[in-house]
Amino acid sequence: MIAGESILSLIPQKPPFVMVDELLFSDDNITKSSFKIPADNVLVINGEFSEAGLMENMAQTAAAGSGNMARIENRPVANGYIGQVKNFEIYSLPQIGDVLFTEVKMEVQVFDAGIVSGKIWCNGEVIAQCEMKIFINQ
């Protein structure tokens, strides 16, 4: 598990735009993270973590997995870009103080492009999911 300041070494984002707290698990195909929503988060609107926040949480979970693999392979952490979002479904918006558990699964990887599926759980229930096409800038 990687938390706090260490997670910042795995993702290109920096405060105040960090939407992951801990890397819970990461291998070649699956990455899991957690995130406790703070009241001062830039993507909190009227006490709720916004749709954009949920999408960014999934993208940063993918970035943390990629960054972790780069660290293991002694490579620099690369920037990634969301190229497409597909089938983005939101079932509920979490509140300030809620803890999100996010899983991102690599579905297809071709050169510097990958398709990932992501799901976010809060209080034991899936609250959002989507598929993203992510490009890595080497």
Side-chain angles (χ1 to χ4, degrees), residues 35-39 44-50 54 92-100 122-123 127:
F35 180 59
K36 184 174 182 178
I37 302 166
V44 167
I45 301 170
N46 297 324
E48 295 180 323
F49 196 49
S50 68
L54 294 171
S92 66
L93 293 175
Q95 308 294 306
I96 292 168
D98 282 345
V99 177
L100 306 182
C122 184
N123 299 319
I127 62 165

Side-chain angles (χ1 to χ4, degrees), residues 1-10 20-24 34:
M1 178 176 356
I2 296 175
E5 293 299 316
S6 298
I7 193 98
L8 296 179
S9 67
L10 303 179
V20 292
D21 291 328
E22 294 182 288
L23 178 63
L24 302 174
S34 66

Side-chain angles (χ1 to χ4, degrees), residues 5-129:
E5 293 299 316
S6 298
I7 193 98
L8 296 179
S9 67
L10 303 179
I11 61 174
Q13 295 81 6
K14 300 299 173 224
F17 208 73
V18 175
M19 309 296 154
V20 292
D21 291 328
E22 294 182 288
L23 178 63
L24 302 174
F25 175 84
S26 182
D27 66 14
D28 290 340
N29 296 317
I30 295 175
T31 301
K32 297 179 182 183
S33 73
S34 66
F35 180 59
K36 184 174 182 178
I37 302 166
D40 64 349
N41 185 282
V42 296
L43 295 178
V44 167
I45 301 170
N46 297 324
E48 295 180 323
F49 196 49
S50 68
E51 295 87 346
L54 294 171
M55 187 178 303
E56 189 62 28
N57 171 262
M58 284 188 257
Q60 288 187 24
T61 298
S66 178
N68 188 54
M69 291 307 294
R71 182 184 56 82
I72 289 168
E73 296 170 358
N74 203 27
R75 295 183 287 113
V77 174
N79 288 330
Y81 305 94
I82 299 170
Q84 179 183 26
V85 177
K86 187 174 168 183
N87 300 323
F88 187 39
E89 299 178 83
I90 298 171
Y91 307 110
S92 66
L93 293 175
Q95 308 294 306
I96 292 168
D98 282 345
V99 177
L100 306 182
F101 293 96
T102 306
E103 179 179 290
V104 173
K105 181 178 176 187
M106 179 60 69
E107 301 292 344
V108 177
Q109 178 78 42
V110 179
F111 301 110
D112 294 338
I115 296 175
V116 299
S117 60
K119 283 188 181 181
I120 301 173
W121 287 263
C122 184
N123 299 319
E125 299 199 11
V126 173
I127 62 165
Q129 62 185 4

